[in-house]
Amino acid sequence: MPKCSVYTFLFVLLFTSINSSAQTYKKTDLGIKTNINGIEIELQLYSPAIIRVLKSPAGNSFNKESLSVIKKPGKTTFNVQQQGDLLYLKTNKLLVSLNMKSGDISYFISGNLLLKEKDEGVKFTSFNDAGNNTYKVSQSFVLDNDEAIYGLGQQQGGKMVQRNLTLHMVQGNTDDYIPFFQSVKGFGVFWDNYSPTQFIDNTEGTSFTSDVGEGIDYYFMYGGNADGVVACMRDLSGQAPMFPLWTYGFWQSKERYKSQDELIDVVKQYRKLGVPIDGIIQDWQYWGNNYLWNAMEFLNVDFPDPQKMIIEAHNLNAHMIISIWNSFGPHTKQYRDLEKINALLDFTTWPQSGSEKWPPNRDYPSGVRVYDPYNPEARNIYWNYLRKMYSLGLDGWWMDSSEPDHLDFKPSDLDNKTYLGSFRKVRNAFPLMTVGGVYTHQRAVDSSKRVFILTRSAFAGQQRYGANTWSGDVTASWDALRNQISAGLNFSLTGIPYWNSDIGGFFLSKFPGKLKDPEYRELYVRWLQFGTFCPMMRSHGADAPREIYQFGQKGNKYYDAIEKFINLRYRFLPYIYSTAWDVTANQSSMMRALMMDFPKDKQALDINDQYLFGKSLLVSPVAKAMYIKPGTSGQRFIQEEDFSSIKSKETYLPAGANWFDFWTGEKLMGGTKVNKETPIDMIPLYVKAGSIIPFGPEVQFAEEKKWDNLEIRIYPGADGKFVLYEDDNDNYNYEKGIYSTISFSWDDKKRTLTISNRNGSFPVMLDSRKFNIVIVNTGKSVGENTVNEPDKVITYTGKKVAVKF
């Protein structure tokens, strides 16, 4: 080697050594590790599109086992390259840059910046958590000024876009917090922390700050669009299993049926009236007094033969689920068993008195205590008692107070010790753990019946546990109804697809006249119309019963409107059940914010009172009173109904598609606002051009009739596809591939419908059936009518058929 070359080589070696000693990193099998400004930083690749970021003070690196994330990091091909102060990690999906001086991370796609951590946006503040020295942790990001983000769980504020707000994220009765947001730019961020957390978005940045954390732990994911982000989140935290077909029928409940005879009589009344119903729910106190709270036994004398009650319900072709709680009275067997293993938490919960009278008499405290679902042995005890109820033939569980109720809050309450540390450390994951405990235990003992859990709270990952979350004990009002829409949509955008609300609102305190108040009757009907297009259609509430016959009889406008929409729900069952399969098989969402399907339409990004139900139906609920006038006495609760003129609602039809009025078949242009007359028995409902929608028969319960004579409606104007899914309607055979799908394709230019070869099979599958094809247009009578004159009738035996129109 020439002398000059030797000196050059030594200089380069020395420079590289000095440079690398100041900005060193280690490449690992999963990504990279480094230490910058006293902070250890690790990037782990879970897939080419999902990156986990771990940060902790130097010397305090941590290895947390996530409660929400079940995916393990996979072997991902990536490259690492350093250019000056920037270290680049590149996959075939993403480019991530780490500033080796500041420690800030930025995320890019195709050279475009998606998200950047804020300069000096990391904070670790020493904190003593019930005797454990740990940290309060914070991470800030920088979003574009006009960037729309969504998610963060369910809140009641009526906001669609989650910008310019502060959220104190602690699970509550009507607020379900999930520290996850997704951007209209096609990425999502999951902050994997379970302690009380502040989410703040303002002009200074967007941040998560949690009370407890050994370090910062978050996931960045790129899906390209909202469906893709949801798919990433489910890839991380678990897929959503199928619910039975019967769960998509109509459900009736109230606070509470006080005897088994009363409960069964409700089902009998529906059958007598010929109004469809699939489920009845028994709320609390079937166990007796409050000292026996949640005993999971029928100790109330008015439920003398629960086995007979359940059999009677089943004989009436109805399913029954029952209220269970996450707390126990001091006289229950569960309380004694849980106390022995120190698995009862010590803070005030519901109910506060042993007496059932209201208000609570604090001289006689109930002694009810919340259990520790983080403890696996406690979850075993819970199921061991619940299993005895399951053996009676109950069809599902209504897990109330799953956040749980935390009354008379004191900061020291969070010092309670759980199996996983302080209650503060794991506070928000309570619903995930308790719902998961029931699901995993039931799955372990029985695969013949799908788990169905109705729960009042949720946390990230809960979709994997067969749970449908309802929005809590909301007070009935027009504002509350309107707020349910954005609450359910943002909840769905966190990756949890199943959500519903108490149709009519739980409390009627704003309506002193209760069902005598015409404004409340109108509100109930409008809420039920909204509930028709939710993943679960469930009437429930306190203060007044809500059964259809409480609203009059046939010929009464309210009664007829209720009956019309319950029947409409059942006609949509083939569409709904197939959409549910799309959720399970393809990570789709049932309730779809407009931004999911129309992200390029800026007018659609912040609409909080419309949504898609499935990928074809645009639903625009009516959320204001239209048909009341002041009563002659001036007292609010004797207002009078006024149907003298028909009112209307304006709806925005997103650009990028044309639309059909569901009720008339009229074709409308996208990117426009339209007014629709909205008599009490109608809401604006539109179908996207190119849609193929199967309509089922009129039935009294979901499985009454086979789908052997379906009406297939084609909404022309664009090419379209639809997959009709069918299986045994219950059990987990579908996980073994025991189901069938039939794909329908519409070629709009050729006006040809192609029905593919049937894929798959199951034991009770139809060998032959008729499809009644209806091409929708303005001249046809469509809407909810039972029978439309078909354009063609096709006999289908599972072999490919192409039909030209």
Side-chain angles (χ1 to χ4, degrees):
M1 181 179 293
K3 189 174 183 180
C4 63
S5 297
V6 173
Y7 286 135
T8 302
F9 173 77
L10 292 174
F11 176 80
V12 172
L13 183 63
L14 178 62
F15 177 82
T16 304
S17 177
I18 293 171
N19 189 54
S20 62
S21 67
Q23 302 184 40
T24 60
Y25 70 91
K26 177 184 177 182
K27 184 177 179 181
T28 70
D29 291 340
L30 303 179
I32 57 172
K33 286 183 179 181
T34 188
N35 185 316
I36 302 174
N37 300 329
I39 296 176
E40 294 186 8
I41 301 174
E42 181 175 4
L43 275 61
Q44 297 179 349
L45 288 168
Y46 274 59
S47 77
I50 302 174
I51 294 178
R52 183 186 189 187
V53 177
L54 298 165
K55 300 182 182 182
S56 60
N60 291 287
S61 60
F62 69 108
N63 184 19
K64 184 184 76 179
E65 187 73 24
S66 177
L67 300 178
S68 294
V69 174
I70 59 175
K71 182 181 177 67
K72 301 301 180 184
K75 186 171 179 57
T76 301
T77 301
F78 66 96
N79 296 313
V80 179
Q81 183 178 6
Q82 187 168 353
Q83 295 179 4
D85 292 330
L86 296 179
L87 182 67
Y88 292 99
L89 184 152
K90 187 178 187 300
T91 74
N92 62 8
K93 296 282 188 182
L94 282 175
L95 176 66
V96 183
S97 73
L98 171 63
N99 189 311
M100 298 296 284
K101 280 191 173 180
S102 66
D104 299 331
I105 301 172
S106 298
Y107 303 90
F108 300 85
I109 184 76
S110 301
N112 297 313
L113 178 65
L114 293 172
L115 178 69
K116 181 184 183 300
E117 292 182 350
K118 186 178 178 183
D119 293 341
E120 299 180 353
V122 179
K123 292 182 182 178
F124 295 96
T125 306
S126 295
F127 178 69
N128 186 297
D129 177 30
N132 180 46
N133 291 322
T134 185
Y135 301 97
K136 181 176 183 177
V137 295
S138 181
Q139 175 70 62
S140 298
F141 304 91
V142 179
L143 301 177
D144 295 343
N145 290 336
D146 61 348
E147 185 175 350
I149 63 170
Y150 307 88
L152 299 172
Q154 168 201 281
Q155 292 87 50
Q156 302 291 335
K159 285 176 67 72
M160 192 63 236
V161 172
Q162 302 292 288
R163 296 298 303 271
N164 303 308
L165 79 168
T166 297
L167 297 176
H168 182 54
M169 305 179 85
V170 179
Q171 306 293 21
N173 183 319
T174 59
D175 296 294
D176 296 330
Y177 292 107
I178 299 169
F180 170 90
F181 70 82
Q182 64 162 290
S183 165
V184 73
K185 292 163 77 172
F187 71 83
V189 174
F190 172 47
W191 179 257
D192 195 8
N193 188 291
Y194 325 115
S195 69
T197 297
Q198 286 272 359
F199 174 83
I200 299 175
D201 177 77
N202 55 34
T203 56
E204 296 180 1
T206 304
S207 63
F208 289 104
T209 302
S210 294
D211 285 357
V212 180
E214 295 174 16
I216 285 168
D217 187 358
Y218 78 86
Y219 294 80
F220 176 91
M221 60 201 78
Y222 180 72
N225 54 34
D227 279 311
V229 175
V230 166
C232 287
M233 191 58 180
R234 297 216 194 120
D235 184 30
L236 274 177
S237 60
Q239 301 298 334
M242 289 285 288
F243 288 137
L245 177 64
W246 48 264
T247 65
Y248 297 105
F250 177 70
W251 286 78
Q252 184 64 62
S253 178
K254 76 170 186 178
E255 188 285 306
R256 56 191 161 87
Y257 296 119
K258 295 185 178 180
S259 72
Q260 65 184 66
D261 290 339
E262 181 187 6
L263 180 143
I264 292 300
D265 187 60
V266 170
V267 183
K268 288 179 177 178
Q269 287 292 327
Y270 272 88
R271 293 287 179 247
K272 181 179 179 181
L273 292 169
V275 177
I277 189 171
D278 258 273
I280 190 80
I281 308 176
Q282 176 57 44
D283 207 338
W284 60 0
Q285 290 183 328
Y286 58 87
W287 50 72
N289 65 56
N290 288 350
Y291 299 115
L292 293 169
W293 188 265
N294 197 34
M296 297 176 178
E297 288 188 67
F298 290 89
L299 303 174
N300 186 321
V301 295
D302 293 316
F303 293 83
D305 192 344
Q307 185 76 78
K308 178 186 176 187
M309 173 181 63
I310 296 165
I311 290 172
E312 281 189 282
H314 288 170
N315 287 341
L316 290 165
N317 296 299
H319 293 80
M320 181 177 172
I321 67 176
I322 198 160
S323 171
I324 55 175
W325 288 59
N326 299 283
S327 53
F328 296 95
H331 294 173
T332 62
K333 299 173 184 176
Q334 296 93 326
Y335 186 104
R336 293 194 290 270
D337 288 352
L338 291 164
E339 190 175 38
K340 289 176 185 176
I341 64 168
N342 198 29
L344 292 169
L345 304 181
D346 187 18
F347 56 80
T348 303
T349 191
W350 177 266
Q352 294 168 285
S353 172
S355 169
E356 296 178 25
K357 292 183 178 180
W358 185 260
N361 186 339
R362 301 297 186 89
D363 291 335
Y364 298 93
S366 69
V368 172
R369 292 173 67 183
V370 171
Y371 93 113
D372 178 5
Y374 309 97
N375 186 327
E377 189 175 350
R379 296 195 298 270
N380 290 341
I381 291 171
Y382 193 101
W383 172 253
N384 286 339
Y385 286 98
L386 190 59
R387 187 172 181 175
K388 297 174 185 177
M389 296 276 282
Y390 186 61
S391 67
L392 296 174
L394 288 163
D395 300 296
W397 315 109
W398 187 3
M399 295 194 74
D400 211 335
S401 188
S402 54
E403 65 275 354
D405 278 310
H406 190 165
L407 310 177
D408 300 335
F409 173 80
K410 303 184 295 295
S412 59
D413 290 345
L414 298 176
D415 292 340
N416 267 269
K417 299 292 186 182
T418 76
Y419 184 81
L420 295 179
S422 75
F423 188 38
R424 181 182 295 104
K425 181 180 179 181
V426 292
R427 172 67 183 90
N428 284 335
F430 189 100
L432 176 70
M433 302 305 292
T434 189
V435 169
V438 172
Y439 174 86
T440 53
H441 278 95
Q442 184 174 326
R443 282 294 318 254
V445 300
D446 187 2
S447 288
S448 66
K449 180 185 291 188
R450 295 176 196 167
V451 181
F452 181 70
I453 300 171
L454 180 62
T455 174
R456 197 169 77 182
S457 191
F459 192 71
Q462 202 158 308
Q463 72 281 349
R464 66 182 183 256
Y465 290 141
N468 193 321
T469 304
W470 94 92
S471 61
D473 301 337
V474 296
T475 298
S477 71
W478 291 102
D479 284 343
L481 169 55
R482 184 169 53 254
N483 292 345
Q484 298 314 294
I485 302 169
S486 57
L489 294 175
N490 274 300
F491 182 83
S492 296
L493 284 164
T494 66
I496 307 179
Y498 292 109
W499 177 94
N500 68 105
S501 64
D502 290 343
I503 289 176
F506 185 73
F507 294 114
L508 301 188
S509 55
K510 294 185 179 181
F511 294 94
K514 300 183 175 60
L515 268 60
K516 294 180 181 179
D517 190 327
E519 185 177 2
Y520 179 71
R521 294 197 294 271
E522 183 179 349
L523 173 64
Y524 179 84
V525 169
R526 295 306 196 190
W527 208 314
L528 181 129
Q529 291 166 347
F530 165 58
T532 303
F533 302 101
C534 287
M536 186 178 188
M537 187 183 187
R538 182 184 57 87
S539 170
H540 177 71
D543 303 326
R546 315 291 173 85
E547 296 84 12
I548 186 172
Y549 44 85
Q550 309 292 348
F551 294 85
Q553 55 190 357
K554 274 188 180 293
N556 176 283
K557 285 182 180 293
Y558 305 109
Y559 181 102
D560 289 351
I562 294 168
E563 182 181 32
K564 173 180 175 177
F565 273 82
I566 292 175
N567 277 308
L568 183 60
R569 172 74 172 197
Y570 280 84
R571 293 222 61 203
F572 271 118
L573 280 184
Y575 173 80
I576 293 170
Y577 200 54
S578 297
T579 298
W581 170 246
D582 195 30
V583 168
T584 294
N586 302 311
Q587 297 81 50
S588 189
S589 299
M590 192 168 280
M591 292 182 72
R592 303 175 62 81
L594 297 187
M595 58 79 62
M596 297 190 77
D597 296 277
F598 304 97
K600 294 181 180 179
D601 184 351
K602 291 188 176 181
Q603 293 187 73
L605 299 185
D606 200 20
I607 292 178
N608 68 349
D609 65 345
Q610 300 173 207
Y611 62 100
L612 290 181
F613 186 60
K615 295 176 180 175
S616 296
L617 295 175
L618 176 61
V619 184
S620 182
V622 173
K624 67 177 182 179
M626 293 182 172
Y627 298 108
I628 57 166
K629 63 182 180 181
T632 54
S633 73
Q635 295 185 47
R636 183 187 176 286
F637 63 87
I638 58 168
Q639 288 176 323
E640 299 172 359
E641 59 190 40
D642 180 7
F643 294 105
S644 59
S645 62
I646 298 176
K647 303 300 192 294
S648 63
K649 183 192 176 184
E650 183 179 79
T651 298
Y652 177 69
L653 303 179
N658 289 325
W659 301 87
F660 287 82
D661 184 318
F662 172 78
W663 305 105
T664 67
E666 179 186 3
K667 191 174 182 180
L668 302 160
M669 295 291 291
T672 60
K673 293 181 179 179
V674 294
N675 273 297
K676 174 70 179 176
E677 288 190 343
T678 49
I680 191 66
D681 68 341
M682 191 174 291
I683 62 171
L685 187 62
Y686 300 92
V687 186
K688 187 168 64 174
S691 294
I692 303 170
I693 297 184
F695 271 71
E698 282 194 335
V699 292
Q700 290 298 293
F701 55 94
E703 297 184 52
E704 182 186 14
K705 297 177 184 176
K706 295 183 181 296
W707 294 348
D708 56 353
N709 199 26
L710 293 181
E711 179 179 309
I712 307 297
R713 295 188 185 177
I714 311 296
Y715 292 82
D719 293 343
K721 292 183 178 181
F722 184 83
V723 177
L724 178 68
Y725 173 84
E726 295 171 292
D727 64 12
D728 291 322
N729 297 327
D730 208 335
N731 73 49
Y732 288 98
N733 284 343
Y734 74 88
E735 294 182 343
K736 305 171 186 175
I738 303 174
Y739 61 87
S740 77
T741 57
I742 302 171
S743 295
F744 295 77
S745 298
W746 170 253
D747 186 317
D748 197 62
K749 186 176 181 179
K750 296 180 179 178
R751 290 184 64 81
T752 299
L753 176 68
T754 301
I755 308 174
S756 70
N757 290 323
R758 180 174 52 221
N759 286 323
S761 64
F762 58 99
V764 294
M765 183 179 71
L766 293 166
D767 292 325
S768 178
R769 68 205 304 169
K770 288 183 179 179
F771 290 132
N772 302 291
I773 314 300
V774 175
I775 309 296
V776 175
N777 57 58
T778 307
K780 285 192 181 296
S781 174
V782 285
E784 80 282 10
N785 291 341
T786 302
V787 178
N788 285 295
E789 187 65 32
D791 291 273
K792 289 194 177 181
V793 178
I794 297 171
T795 299
Y796 180 76
T797 60
K799 300 299 182 182
K800 181 177 178 180
V801 179
V803 186
K804 188 172 177 59
F805 292 83

